[in-house]
Amino acid sequence: MSLHYILDGYNIIHQVQFAGRQLKDERERLIRFIEIFRPQGSRKNKVTVVFDGKKDIFSPPIRSEIKVVFTRNESADEWIKRFVEETIQPKQCLIVSDDKEIRFFVRALGAKVISVNEFVDKVRKKIQPAKTGEMPLSSEKAREITKELERIWLKEV
């Protein structure tokens, strides 16, 4: 069963602080973060990032599997609530936001909700070394192992 992740874009940016000097840069970093680290998991899961729109800001073209929405004549919060309300399968929606009003509203409709930290922690767990007391392999050691395995496998083929 695939999920549709609906991300409250500015809510995530303000919580995580993507270190951009301008909102445009922070939006771009959020999109790149999702593209690179895939906190949504499976490629079958859809991702829609929703931002409050303004007169001079409009939706860029869809990038890879990520849909970016800049709302018009409504807030991102209203767009997210309306989307879940109108969808045929709200149980397949997973909303990422720390906004209490959104969380309560969409949960009442049957959608799943996770906090910004839960969403970002999915990536942190992937990239942190295991807590076994051992240091991760250096790139030099990894190359040595690869060469040794190539020597063993190619010799037996």
Side-chain angles (χ1 to χ4, degrees):
M1 167 176 67
S2 63
L3 295 172
H4 188 164
Y5 279 72
I6 312 293
L7 282 60
D8 186 353
Y10 288 132
N11 188 260
I12 294 171
I13 286 172
H14 294 307
Q15 298 294 325
V16 177
Q17 298 175 357
F18 279 94
R21 294 192 191 280
Q22 298 178 356
L23 276 178
K24 178 183 175 188
D25 296 334
E26 290 180 337
R27 289 190 301 264
E28 183 65 27
R29 288 173 196 236
L30 173 59
I31 302 302
R32 286 185 49 225
F33 170 81
I34 296 165
E35 289 174 334
I36 293 168
F37 294 108
R38 303 195 56 75
Q40 71 276 16
S42 171
R43 291 195 181 275
K44 293 181 182 179
N45 292 336
K46 295 179 188 175
V47 178
T48 302
V49 184
V50 185
F51 295 105
D52 292 312
K54 296 186 171 122
K55 290 181 182 178
D56 59 337
I57 300 176
F58 55 90
S59 294
I62 294 175
R63 298 169 45 148
S64 62
E65 300 100 36
I66 300 169
K67 179 178 180 184
V68 177
V69 173
F70 285 90
T71 61
R72 295 249 191 241
N73 302 321
E74 64 183 337
S75 70
D77 297 1
E78 291 167 343
W79 189 97
I80 292 168
K81 291 190 280 188
R82 183 177 49 78
F83 180 88
V84 174
E85 198 170 35
E86 293 175 357
T87 191
I88 296 169
Q89 298 177 318
K91 290 182 180 182
Q92 273 148 323
C93 293
L94 193 147
I95 312 306
V96 179
S97 179
D98 285 342
D99 185 298
K100 288 180 183 177
E101 186 179 336
I102 292 174
R103 294 171 64 89
F104 289 129
F105 186 89
V106 299
R107 192 176 285 135
L109 295 171
K112 297 169 185 70
V113 178
I114 63 171
S115 70
V116 171
N117 277 333
E118 288 173 282
F119 184 68
V120 175
D121 279 349
K122 291 179 176 194
V123 171
R124 288 183 187 135
K125 289 176 185 174
K126 287 181 189 176
I127 62 175
Q128 287 180 345
K131 296 182 180 181
T132 60
E134 297 179 20
M135 295 298 291
L137 287 177
S138 67
S139 58
E140 182 179 328
K141 188 67 174 173
R143 279 192 294 274
E144 281 180 41
I145 292 169
T146 301
K147 285 180 182 178
E148 180 67 16
L149 288 172
E150 285 175 348
R151 187 184 60 75
I152 292 168
W153 282 95
L154 294 176
K155 191 180 242 183
E156 294 186 20
V157 173

